[in-house]
Amino acid sequence: AIPLVESGGGTVQAGGSLKLSCVSSGYTYNGVAMGWFRQADGKGREGLAAIDFYGSTSVADSVKGRFAISRENNILYLQMNNLKLEDSNMYYCAASPFRQTAIQFLEDMNLPDFGHWGQGTQVIVSS
């Protein structure tokens, strides 16, 4: 079973905002970094943001200033503002398989099949 469940995706107009959520389904990710990546069918992953055990965050340059990651009560969030057409994609919540810093996990999320991830939530940005 996939232990991570994302929600909050949908269709939004360009310039709008969405907030994605991720909850763990019966699995506790203690001490590891968590994050978000996006991936289209047949394409590679793009790590977007990560947060480590201590609460330090790292955000990819491609979305810095528009996306923010946070964690509260064991729910992981991705706040996405000023969405652009090119942000349309499948978004995944991910957990590192071991303890890492946010910077390390943000980079490693770009690797195929790294870590644990959910089923994804679709984001469509329309003009």
Side-chain angles (χ1 to χ4, degrees):
I2 298 173
L4 295 166
V5 181
E6 304 93 336
S7 62
T11 301
V12 63
Q13 283 193 320
S17 299
L18 279 176
K19 188 172 185 177
L20 307 183
S21 301
C22 173
V23 296
S24 171
S25 176
Y27 189 93
T28 300
Y29 290 91
N30 285 323
V32 298
M34 297 189 72
W36 294 89
F37 68 89
R38 60 190 179 190
Q39 184 175 26
D41 285 344
K43 304 285 187 180
R45 291 180 172 188
E46 179 187 8
L48 300 171
I51 184 168
D52 64 25
F53 175 73
Y54 300 102
S56 295
T57 62
S58 186
V59 180
D61 289 341
S62 60
V63 297
K64 193 169 291 183
R66 299 191 300 120
F67 289 15
I69 188 170
S70 61
R71 182 181 58 216
E72 185 174 348
N73 297 329
N74 291 322
I75 301 175
L76 187 72
Y77 298 101
L78 183 68
Q79 177 67 49
M80 305 187 294
N81 298 325
N82 190 22
L83 283 161
K84 303 177 181 181
L85 296 179
E86 54 264 37
D87 292 320
S88 296
N89 216 317
M90 200 71 175
Y91 286 70
Y92 296 86
C93 170
S96 176
F98 44 80
R99 184 168 290 195
Q100 290 183 290
T101 65
I103 293 174
Q104 291 169 334
F105 188 47
L106 179 62
E107 184 174 344
D108 285 345
M109 270 193 291
N110 293 304
L111 300 173
D113 299 328
F114 184 85
H116 310 282
W117 61 94
Q119 85 289 349
T121 186
Q122 183 79 49
V123 172
I124 299 173
V125 183
S126 63
S127 59

